[in-house]
Each structure stands twice: as structure tokens, then as C-alpha cells.
Amino acid sequence: RLPFRSRIGQGSQITLKNMTIVGACGPGECQSNAAPPEKDGYVQYGVNLESTASPVLDGLHIPDVLSDGIGIEGTLDPNCCWSGQPTSDATIQNSVVDHVGRQGISVTDLDGGVIRNTTIAESPETGIDIEVDNQGFVARNLKILGNTFTHIHANDISNGGLGAAPDVGNIDIENNTMSDQATTCAEGGIYLRA
């Protein structure tokens, strides 16, 4: 089991293929959005891309992480703030992200990418969360194609952060299957804020 997170920072053309990355959740801990307090869920991602150029995640299975299955963001400078370039031209495909503690995939700073042919299931919050919530962050030029969403607590795809055009835009959502939403908080399949 993954004790912390797989972090890829400021690299380029990095490929992770045909891997299983198992988080630290025990039985039933991630599905309820109530992981035990001794486990800080906001620090464990299956894969966290920080200011990474042209990463490829292909054929991954990411179950049981305490926070987000995959995080796509800029770089955190622990001495001051978020800084650096956004992750760019990311490809996430042919993967399964399930039984996570927060979001299936979070997008907070991305310029260019595709999420395709991926299953996101059993998420207590959002399937794909486009949440640009810091000044200067972007989420644009993103394609979400041919994915399957099942048992998502809130929205399958959401843009609920602070960002709006021109920092957020040119997002294509096509040929996805959204089914079997959780009954506790069925907010709808897609929430987009302009």
C-alpha cells in the first residue's frame, strides 16, 4: 500500500504504463468520505502531476487512495505559494480510478490534455473536478472522451472552482457514460460554471 503519494514534479515526457498503485484506505474507509482522522486524506494521491510537460498515464489501476486518484496541478513551493508552470499536454487513458477518498481526477492547473477511455467509480465527491482556485492557474484545452462514471457522490464532471474564461475554457466532453449515481447526493452528471 502507498504510504504517501506518487509525485511527479517538473519533469517532461514521463510515462507510467500498466501499473497498479494502491492507497492506504482500509475496507470502507474511502467510500464514506470519512477516513479516520489519523490519516490526512489531502496528502495522498495515486499520482500527482506537478508542472509536468507531456506526461502519459496509460493502463493504470488506482484504488483506495485517501484523497484524489490523480491530481493535475502546478508546483507547490512550501516556502511561499503555488508557483511554476501548469502541467501541459497530459494524457490519461485506459485506466481505472476507484474507491478514492475525494475526487477521481482533480484538475487545478492544466494547459492541454486528454482524459479518455478511463473508468472512474466509487468517488465520494466528484469524478473529474476542474477546480481552478488560485490566480494564474488555468484549465483549458482539455478533452474528456469515452470515459465511464459510476457511483459518483456529487457530479461526474464539475467546474466549480473560482476560475472562468479565459483561464478556463476549450473543454470538450464527448461520448462519456454516466450512470448509477450515488443516491445520497445526486447533483447531476455535469456542472459547468461559466
Side-chain angles (χ1 to χ4, degrees):
R1 292 199 177 269
L2 185 68
F4 189 58
R5 67 177 161 182
S6 301
R7 182 174 172 201
I8 299 171
Q10 302 178 348
S12 65
Q13 299 179 342
I14 296 169
T15 298
L16 301 180
K17 188 168 184 173
N18 300 329
M19 298 175 62
T20 298
I21 301 170
V22 180
C25 285
E29 287 180 341
C30 287
Q31 295 85 355
S32 66
N33 199 19
E38 68 272 11
K39 296 181 179 178
D40 181 356
Y42 286 93
V43 298
Q44 187 187 63
Y45 289 54
V47 176
N48 194 28
L49 301 171
E50 295 181 1
S51 300
T52 306
S54 304
V56 175
L57 307 181
D58 187 2
L60 302 187
H61 181 206
I62 302 173
D64 302 330
V65 295
L66 290 164
S67 186
D68 301 355
I70 298 170
I72 306 170
E73 54 194 29
T75 300
L76 176 60
D77 179 344
N79 297 315
C80 75
C81 54
W82 288 94
S83 61
Q85 297 297 312
T87 290
S88 59
D89 301 317
T91 299
I92 299 169
Q93 61 188 12
N94 308 318
S95 295
V96 175
V97 177
D98 61 344
H99 296 96
V100 297
R102 212 170 72 102
Q103 325 288 3
I105 299 173
S106 60
V107 177
T108 61
D109 199 6
L110 173 67
D111 194 353
V114 62
I115 301 169
R116 69 174 155 236
N117 302 328
T118 291
T119 296
I120 301 170
E122 304 294 339
S123 172
E125 291 190 26
T126 301
I128 296 176
D129 183 32
I130 302 165
E131 189 175 352
V132 174
D133 51 11
N134 287 296
Q135 186 173 10
F137 280 20
V138 299
R140 57 186 177 215
N141 307 314
L142 173 61
K143 296 183 183 305
I144 301 172
L145 311 172
N147 301 290
T148 300
F149 299 85
T150 186
H151 282 128
I152 305 299
H153 181 73
N155 305 104
D156 295 320
I157 300 170
S158 176
N159 170 28
L162 301 176
D167 295 329
V168 177
N170 194 25
I171 299 172
D172 296 331
I173 302 170
E174 299 178 20
N175 300 318
N176 295 282
T177 301
M178 300 170 180
S179 64
D180 202 19
Q181 281 192 309
T183 56
T184 55
C185 183
E187 293 182 5
I190 300 174
Y191 168 71
L192 298 178
R193 188 176 59 81

